[in-house]
Amino acid sequence: MYILGLNCFGHDASSALIKDGVILAMAEEERFNREKHTYAFAKNAIAYCLKKGGIRLSDLDKIVFYYNPGLGFIKRMPYALIHLPGSLAMFKGKRVSQGAGLLTMKSHFKKEFPGEKRYPDIIFITHHLAHAAAAFFNSPFKESAILSIDGTGEWTTTWLGYGSGNKVHKVKEICWPHSLGMWYGAITEYLGFKFMSGEGKVMGLASYGKPTYYDKLKKTIKLLPDGGFKIDTSYFDYHIKWLGGNYVSDKFIREFGPKRERESKIDPVHEDISFCLQLIFEEALIHIVRSLKEKTGMENLVIGGGVGLNCVGNGKLLKQHIFKDIFVHPAPGEASTSMGSALYYYHQVLNNPRDKIIPITTPFLGPEFDNDYIKVAIAKLNLKSHLSSDIGSEVAKLISEHKIVGWFQGSMECGPRALGNRSILADPRLAEMKDILNNKV
């Protein structure tokens, strides 16, 4: 049985192919169309997955999509109407193309994959079930608590549950506008970094700061006795604008000062706000996870959703020893929902057993290229190349001479961290190397 999981018309479009519950391939569309966090129909990622499986589109048993557009519309439309005219931003740009794409999805398959004998049915599942399935069914655990946490799905922002055998179960959910991901992302944008992209930079910037604004920033989020949290939306506009930009309110600006312009100088105030943001985030994360432990009684935890990319927070969580062990998918954000969708349908809907648990052991599930292919690609750019019999020594020598090396080997990774197969290598002994790298990139 072949099942294709799909994420598109939302950020980080991707596709994954499983055969009888085993992952054959996964790829992100941005690796092909070169558009970071692309919303595009994942035609190239789909084509790669089919090629890797040696099949055509018509050979698929099902296509499973990571989002339920009907539920999203039902939940969001009344909220948008209440918040007019500010909510008009959600009807512009990518949100319009997303809605149009969802309504005409089958036509995209017919256009990009013409001449098929049949076009498989498309099944829609809810967003956080895709995250939960990606995290749990790829983990080494027979049972575990599950935390799926991101900006938002159709309406849910935080999903707490557990997995056992071939099923995942919901225990509790927190819904819009109370979103830890959006809260962190809104302040990321305020600090002059790109929303849904620059959060990792803020996480790094936090290490330079001090707790100057802790008490003031703590007022924007309240931790609740039941293990949940509540955002004080008077400080924000994200809950009205969705992807409309300018996510903090005038009240936030009055309290913390003007927004930092993108690419402008980073001052101590930005470092200090980053520090407090990360610290309060970690407190909230630990608060949620302690509650999840109490509710499930499980020994292990798996984490899905874009908030799982905050590796500093994950590290703090691990040191708390709330759970015996923690598994975080290598691509916990939107990209892995294609994989999660396919696995959810195979196990949860079709009730196929998980008696032979096959945890994901590598993120390298994308295309790979042999030397002949690489030589042709280099020649097209009119660059010189040579094959090395001792590439390790050559690269070490180049790095010692303060050269910057692009390292390319094996299959392409899923997720935002290349982990050795697609990397930029440089000499860390040179104090100014960080600035040199940033300028070169």
Side-chain angles (χ1 to χ4, degrees):
M1 169 174 277
Y2 290 100
I3 301 172
L4 185 83
L6 180 61
N7 158 24
C8 57
F9 310 127
H11 63 92
D12 298 295
S14 67
S15 181
L17 178 68
I18 67 169
K19 179 184 180 183
D20 298 330
V22 178
I23 300 162
L24 297 184
M26 176 184 166
E28 296 179 56
E29 186 66 15
E30 70 169 35
R31 308 294 204 269
F32 302 95
N33 71 8
R34 313 303 297 164
E35 180 186 334
K36 196 74 171 169
H37 303 299
T38 186
Y39 279 60
F41 179 69
K43 61 180 182 180
N44 297 292
I46 294 167
Y48 160 70
C49 288
L50 295 175
K51 181 179 179 182
K52 182 72 174 180
I55 61 172
R56 295 180 61 89
L57 190 74
S58 55
D59 295 320
L60 293 171
D61 292 275
K62 281 288 184 295
I63 297 168
V64 190
F65 194 68
Y66 82 120
Y67 183 90
N68 185 324
L71 178 62
F73 180 84
I74 290 168
K75 291 290 188 180
R76 294 182 183 212
M77 191 53 62
Y79 193 88
L81 293 173
I82 290 169
H83 289 90
L84 287 170
S87 59
L88 287 173
M90 71 171 290
F91 300 103
K92 299 176 182 177
K94 289 180 178 179
R95 280 298 182 196
V96 174
S97 62
Q98 180 187 37
L102 290 170
L103 290 171
T104 59
M105 189 178 299
K106 199 120 185 181
S107 67
H108 284 272
F109 279 101
K110 291 179 179 179
K111 177 185 176 183
E112 302 298 344
F113 299 92
E116 296 287 338
K117 294 178 182 177
R118 57 178 282 273
Y119 291 88
D121 291 334
I122 301 171
I123 304 297
F124 299 91
I125 70 167
T126 57
H127 181 71
H128 280 279
L129 284 179
H131 274 312
F136 178 62
F137 293 132
N138 280 300
S139 78
F141 308 135
K142 291 182 179 179
E143 59 178 23
S144 76
I146 304 173
L147 173 64
S148 174
I149 181 167
D150 62 7
T152 183
E154 296 84 357
W155 198 243
T156 301
T157 67
T158 306
W159 188 98
L160 296 88
Y162 65 94
S164 180
N166 67 338
K167 295 287 191 292
V168 297
H169 308 270
K170 182 179 75 175
V171 170
K172 174 185 171 68
E173 64 182 3
I174 300 168
C175 296
W176 190 267
H178 306 294
S179 166
L180 201 57
M182 293 298 296
W183 173 80
Y184 200 104
I187 300 173
T188 291
E189 194 215 30
Y190 163 81
L191 289 168
F193 300 100
K194 194 172 181 181
F195 174 73
M196 286 197 311
S197 180
E199 286 82 356
K201 294 179 180 179
V202 173
M203 181 183 71
L205 184 63
S207 62
Y208 295 92
K210 296 178 292 190
T212 313
Y213 297 92
Y214 178 84
D215 291 337
K216 289 176 70 174
L217 195 60
K218 191 68 183 285
K219 291 190 296 183
T220 67
I221 181 172
K222 182 180 180 181
L223 304 184
L224 304 177
D226 66 353
F229 61 91
K230 187 175 182 179
I231 304 297
D232 184 343
T233 54
S234 68
Y235 287 93
F236 300 98
D237 284 343
Y238 71 76
H239 60 295
I240 299 171
K241 296 180 177 178
W242 270 279
L243 295 180
N246 296 316
Y247 297 120
V248 298
S249 68
D250 292 341
K251 180 178 177 179
F252 192 99
I253 300 294
R254 288 195 299 270
E255 289 259 358
F256 296 95
K259 289 177 62 175
R260 172 180 168 263
E261 294 299 320
R262 197 170 294 175
E263 305 301 332
S264 67
K265 181 186 175 186
I266 295 175
D267 293 321
V269 60
H270 307 122
E271 296 170 352
D272 292 352
I273 291 174
S274 297
F275 177 93
C276 298
L277 175 66
Q278 179 67 24
L279 178 59
I280 296 167
F281 162 77
E282 291 162 6
E283 292 172 351
L285 183 64
I286 291 167
H287 173 75
I288 294 165
V289 168
R290 285 193 189 281
S291 170
L292 181 57
K293 172 68 174 180
E294 292 174 4
K295 286 177 169 62
T296 64
M298 294 288 179
E299 285 193 344
N300 301 308
L301 170 69
V302 301
I303 299 175
V307 171
L309 289 167
N310 194 303
C311 52
V312 175
N314 294 342
K316 296 285 178 65
L317 201 57
L318 191 63
K319 290 178 181 178
Q320 293 290 317
H321 301 292
I322 302 168
F323 286 92
K324 180 181 176 182
D325 202 359
I326 298 175
F327 171 83
V328 183
H329 194 285
E334 300 302 85
S336 66
T337 56
S338 58
M339 185 188 295
S341 299
L343 290 170
Y344 179 86
Y345 187 80
Y346 182 78
H347 290 298
Q348 188 106 357
V349 177
L350 299 182
N351 201 31
N352 284 305
R354 195 172 162 244
D355 49 353
K356 295 180 181 178
I357 294 176
I358 307 174
I360 190 170
T361 57
T362 174
F364 304 118
L365 298 167
E368 59 183 319
F369 308 93
D370 59 24
N371 285 340
D372 290 338
Y373 188 100
I374 292 169
K375 282 194 287 186
V376 170
I378 291 172
K380 286 181 179 178
L381 297 172
N382 296 317
L383 298 173
K384 295 179 180 179
S385 66
H386 74 276
L387 288 173
S388 173
S389 59
D390 189 5
I391 194 167
S393 295
E394 281 198 45
V395 169
K397 183 174 184 296
L398 289 168
I399 292 172
S400 73
E401 295 169 349
H402 308 318
K403 299 290 195 302
I404 296 170
V405 176
W407 185 269
F408 181 101
Q409 66 177 5
S411 299
M412 190 179 296
E413 77 290 342
C414 64
R417 286 151 189 163
L419 304 174
N421 277 21
R422 306 288 188 274
S423 298
I424 298 171
L425 309 179
D427 189 346
R429 300 171 301 174
L430 197 64
E432 59 268 30
M433 182 53 75
K434 181 185 75 169
D435 294 329
I436 294 171
L437 264 178
N438 286 337
N439 289 332
K440 293 287 185 183
V441 172

